[in-house]
Amino acid sequence: MVDDEMTAVFREELRDLLDSLERGLLDLQAAPEDMALVNQVFRDLHTVKGSGAMFGFTDLAAFIHSFETEFDKVRAGEVPVTPGLIRLALAARDEIPGLVDGKADPEGRRVAILAGLVALGDGPVPAPEPDAEPEAADAAGADAAEAGPLALEFRLLGEALGLGARPEILLTELRDLGASGIVADLADVPPLDTLDPDTCHIVWRLELPATVTEAEVEDVFVFVDAEWKLTRLEVSDGSGFDFELGAEAEGAPPVSVAPVEPAEAEPVRQGGAGLGGAGSANTPAKAGNAESDAVPVAQAAATIRVSAERLDALMDAVGELVIVEARLTELARQSRDPALMTTAEQITRLAAGLRDATMTMRMVPMRSLVGRFRRLVMGLSDTLAKPVSFSVLGEDTELDKTVIEKLADPLVHVLRNAIDHGMETAAQRAESGKPAVGVIELSAQHAGAEVLIRVRDDGRGMDPARIRAKAVSQGLIAHDAVLTEGQIFALIFEPGFSTATEVTELSGRGVGMDVVRRTIESLRGNIEIDSKLGQGTSVTLRLPLTLAIIEGLQIEVAGEKYTLPMASVHEIVALPRDRVTPKRTGDFLDIRGHFVPFLRLRSLFDCAGTPSAEQNVVIVSSGETRVGIVVDRIVGTNQTVIKQMSKLHSGVRAVSGATILGDGSVALILDVGHLIALGRLSGPVVAAGTGFAEVAA
């Protein structure tokens, strides 16, 4: 049971390490001279290898050891970073999950990948820079050899054994560096009756070749919590020495101990905890004294992993708490009891704080999706022979985890279309006077309580005339239909619509963009397209920050209560008395010099009765578009727990969900995006009596 739990921890952390490894390789492709990225990739490889061996994944450790050996040549400057190297490294990264799952490799992909890496590593060594001084380097190497070997002393700290550390793995890696004369000091081992099996009391001392660097030793301890000290031993006549540091062996010549620079100032190194340990396996070892090492350890301890299921359960509980809090507030208002009203106010504040904290925990950065998109663009660019530069802005922008999970497929379709349909070949771009390399930009930014995710390219753009002609030929619109440019572009989201002249493996069946629209609408979002023929296309996805709890504006129409998301509410104005009765001249308001169309919810929902003389207009907005919604009464604001509609009501586009009010009644949450789309139509048509059933269609 414990082994299963530890293996589960390993697999969970392995996903993070593989994501970090993939990001590092893709970043390295864009910045091949960045040694910090090279070192990050090497640390990720080293951590996965050591941790895999710790948990018994020997095939994984062997594969990554070969991978790491070849990549170490990059770190040493012997092999340049090339697109071919990055492709092989990414292919090797893709084999790691299969090795963990024990999958066979009948096609020999892993052997071929390693052979390719070896072939790259055996290539010509880059010529030294003009200002290099090989003589000085040779002299430095000779000085190191004459200075004598290195002595290493290390011990595992805390409950390292209980957390899964295996000293034999460390010793094996040190032997790979040429370690010899390994001695275990048992002086600190307590009697058996007081021995703590989770704590390691042994100190190891060994000899390393003079050519081993401090960085290589630091890499060995990068995934364990250990303290180590490296010193250089200078032997006067070249004979052996005793590993009791500073002591002379019997019959041996005097030994002088010289610290390795800069170990004189910082003789002790403490490694970070690895997989299964208290710290993060992704945190490199830090050099320094105990005080400086305490900082990363404290930061690692401040992070805890929680399963998504537990977060969902917590969110559900908070949602029920918000509903009960609304009920309590309503009872307090009715009773007028000062003590009860005070208690209700306190619970309201606590529930709001808990709601905000819980929703913050559910937020996930866009960065978690970016890796797969970069791989997608790189692969399509090679397959279609269309050189593309892919950039990402706003990787730290956060969305609700549910939104992130459902956003991957739509963005894959949009990016694939941008390259396959939108981007020209290098020759076509040259004819148009454009740079040979096309540009695709993925950006994310907050806009109020929404997130705007935009995919922009500088390709051929969309031809409205061609789209319209295709839609007419397919019977989607009448030949004399009057459509705006935006409505024409929106036709590409219709099922089965495609302007491709032939069906390929990537596109042409008219399926992808329909999936995009349905998915985005299921997330209560909407899509905007802006395109200029010959200049490029921009596709913007507008999405809510969260799908769980929102701040809502409660309104009343014909005695029924509805809720509007406060994030979409721009302002509230009184409806002029001369506009209470619908007119055929169109329903527009002049708000500070701007004409704003408005909808009458009474007409829209086909409500019976006569409206009151005092009505309000709620101005809702989406981007630059504003639409007014006429309501009978403004009730107030409240925390709104979004409940999904049943399948029977899933086709009602004017409603995005429902919520339970404080008095136990149900209020429908209006879909602002759909209302704004209706507002773009002519005022008289909408106001004349579009019924609820028509809205559902």
Side-chain angles (χ1 to χ4, degrees), residues 678-695:
L678 289 176
R680 291 194 180 105
L681 301 175
S682 60
V685 173
V686 177
T690 304
F692 196 88
E694 292 175 274
V695 174

Side-chain angles (χ1 to χ4, degrees), residues 81-96:
V81 175
T82 62
L85 174 68
I86 296 298
R87 290 190 185 92
L88 281 173
L90 287 170
R93 176 261 176 224
D94 293 340
E95 293 297 320
I96 293 175

Side-chain angles (χ1 to χ4, degrees), residues 72-310:
D72 192 34
K73 297 177 182 178
V74 177
R75 193 172 63 153
E78 300 174 3
V79 175
V81 175
T82 62
L85 174 68
I86 296 298
R87 290 190 185 92
L88 281 173
L90 287 170
R93 176 261 176 224
D94 293 340
E95 293 297 320
I96 293 175
L99 285 162
V100 174
D101 294 335
K103 293 182 180 179
D105 184 26
E107 299 178 358
R109 283 178 49 84
R110 295 163 193 164
V111 175
I113 290 170
L114 293 178
L117 289 170
V118 170
L120 287 175
D122 291 340
V125 178
E129 297 294 332
D131 57 348
E133 299 180 5
E135 294 82 1
D138 293 341
D143 291 342
E146 293 175 0
L150 299 169
L152 175 66
E153 173 183 323
F154 74 91
R155 70 173 73 226
L156 301 180
L157 300 177
E159 298 181 349
L161 297 180
L163 294 173
R166 293 175 58 182
E168 63 269 26
I169 300 296
L170 299 177
L171 294 174
T172 298
E173 295 194 23
L174 290 170
R175 288 191 184 96
D176 291 342
L177 293 178
S180 61
I182 300 175
V183 176
D185 186 349
L186 309 179
D188 295 335
V189 177
L192 188 60
D193 56 349
T194 61
L195 180 66
D196 181 2
D198 292 338
T199 304
C200 183
H201 302 278
I202 303 175
V203 178
W204 282 272
R205 299 184 178 90
L206 51 92
E207 176 186 347
L208 290 170
T211 54
V212 173
T213 65
E214 187 177 8
E216 290 175 312
V217 176
E218 187 172 11
D219 285 338
V220 172
F221 298 102
V222 72
F223 61 93
V224 294
D225 195 7
E227 184 178 79
W228 53 276
K229 180 170 62 176
L230 189 65
T231 54
R232 188 177 299 281
L233 300 175
E234 297 180 353
V235 185
S236 56
D237 63 354
S239 58
F241 57 86
D242 186 2
F243 270 95
E244 291 294 326
L245 297 182
E248 298 180 6
E250 184 176 353
V255 177
S256 60
V257 182
V260 180
E261 298 296 340
E264 184 172 359
E266 298 178 332
V268 179
R269 301 290 186 270
Q270 181 170 316
L275 287 173
S280 169
N282 211 12
T283 304
K286 301 290 184 182
N289 55 30
E291 291 181 358
S292 63
D293 287 332
V295 175
V297 173
Q299 291 174 344
T303 303
I304 184 171
R305 289 183 175 274
V306 179
S307 67
E309 291 77 10
R310 292 186 179 183

